[in-house]
Structures are given as C-alpha cells and as structure tokens.
Amino acid sequence: MSTEAPHFLGAVAVGLGATLFMDLWALFLKRAFSIPSANYCLVGRWFCHMPEGTFMHASIAASHKRFECTVGCIAHYVIGAVYALVLVTLVSGSWLAQPTLLPALLFGVGTVLAPFLVMHPSFGLGIAASRTPNPTQARLRSLMAHTAFGVGLFVCAVGVSYLVPVHA
C-alpha cells in the first residue's frame, strides 16, 4: 500500500465520523431544546436539479425531486469526507498521526462559508440566509453545526490515530 493510502483512508474516516458527530450534535439539540435540524433533503434537491442544468433557484422549496432526501444524506457525508481530505492536505498527513484541536476547529468553522456563499444563494435564501425569516438564527445554527463538525474532525482524528497506523 502506498504511503498516501493510509492518509486518504484515514481522512475519509475522519470526515465521515465528523459528519456523524455533527448529526449527533444536531439530534441532541433537537431532542433537548427543540432546535430543528438542517434539512439535507434540500441539498439533495439541489443536486438532483443539476443534471438538468439548474444550479440557482428563486426558491428551492417548491421544486421537489424523487430521492432528494437520500441524495441529500449521501451528499452530506461525501462533502464531510471531502472536507476532511482538504484539511489533511492543508495541514499534512502527519496531523492524522498526532491531531491537534486548533486546525480542525478553525477548518470546521471555515466550512460554514460554503453554505453561506454557495448553497444559501443557490437555494434562493440569499447570501448567509439573508432572505430567510430569521437570518441571525439561521446563521448561528449553521455556525454551531460547522463548529461541531470541527470538533468532530478532531475527535475522530484522535480515534483514527489510535486505530490506524498513519505515519507522517
């Protein structure tokens, strides 16, 4: 196995785990405080429209697609894995062997720019959910979710560092 393979597999495992960590955090918030979770069906709907050439929507809420929730869930986890691969590429594979919190947390928080600048406008919600009924609440929920993702990146990297021998 090449030296890149453990880094690749480790990063994918970290990304999938961090995404699950984020989802478990959202589930906790929903059960404990009745804070609604993100609707990944909208992400799936967005992806399902792309083969038709539709990338921007005035309001994505009115344009349902078959299997959108399944596609959205899969996309959510694939995006998490890709983000972890980017993190490991930026900080080096040695981070997987000896993970530290700060790069994971900063990177996780930084990933909030994707929904703010790409997804929200594409869904017809405006930049950083500016066209939603309560933009501040939407922004804080996104920031909390992506912060949880950053913590999840670190927690899962610690787990991977014990389970998989990933050398710098």
Side-chain angles (χ1 to χ4, degrees), residues 45-55:
R45 190 175 300 169
W46 184 47
F47 278 108
C48 287
H49 277 282
M50 288 181 181
E52 301 165 1
T54 305
F55 299 91

Side-chain angles (χ1 to χ4, degrees), residues 110-166:
T111 61
V112 81
L113 293 174
F116 281 3
L117 301 176
V118 178
M119 294 173 72
H120 292 168
S122 296
F123 293 179
L125 303 174
I127 293 174
S130 61
R131 294 188 193 144
T132 62
N134 192 336
T136 301
Q137 182 183 64
R139 291 171 188 147
L140 287 173
R141 285 182 19 208
S142 288
L143 184 59
M144 284 177 22
H146 287 259
T147 300
F149 178 71
V151 171
L153 286 168
F154 171 70
V155 168
C156 294
V158 168
V160 165
S161 74
Y162 285 107
L163 297 173
V164 180
V166 179

Side-chain angles (χ1 to χ4, degrees), residues 22-96:
M22 180 173 80
D23 289 345
L24 292 173
W25 174 251
L27 183 62
F28 166 74
L29 292 176
K30 184 176 182 177
R31 297 257 169 96
F33 303 106
S34 299
I35 296 173
S37 299
N39 184 354
Y40 296 112
C41 296
L42 294 178
V43 176
R45 190 175 300 169
W46 184 47
F47 278 108
C48 287
H49 277 282
M50 288 181 181
E52 301 165 1
T54 305
F55 299 91
M56 301 289 289
H57 299 263
S59 174
I60 201 166
S63 57
H64 295 277
K65 286 291 197 176
R66 193 169 183 211
F67 304 117
E68 64 188 32
C69 293
T70 301
V71 170
C73 183
I74 292 167
H76 173 57
Y77 279 84
V78 168
I79 290 166
V82 169
Y83 278 158
L85 286 164
V86 171
L87 171 63
V88 169
T89 300
L90 291 174
V91 297
S92 90
S94 63
W95 180 81
L96 284 173

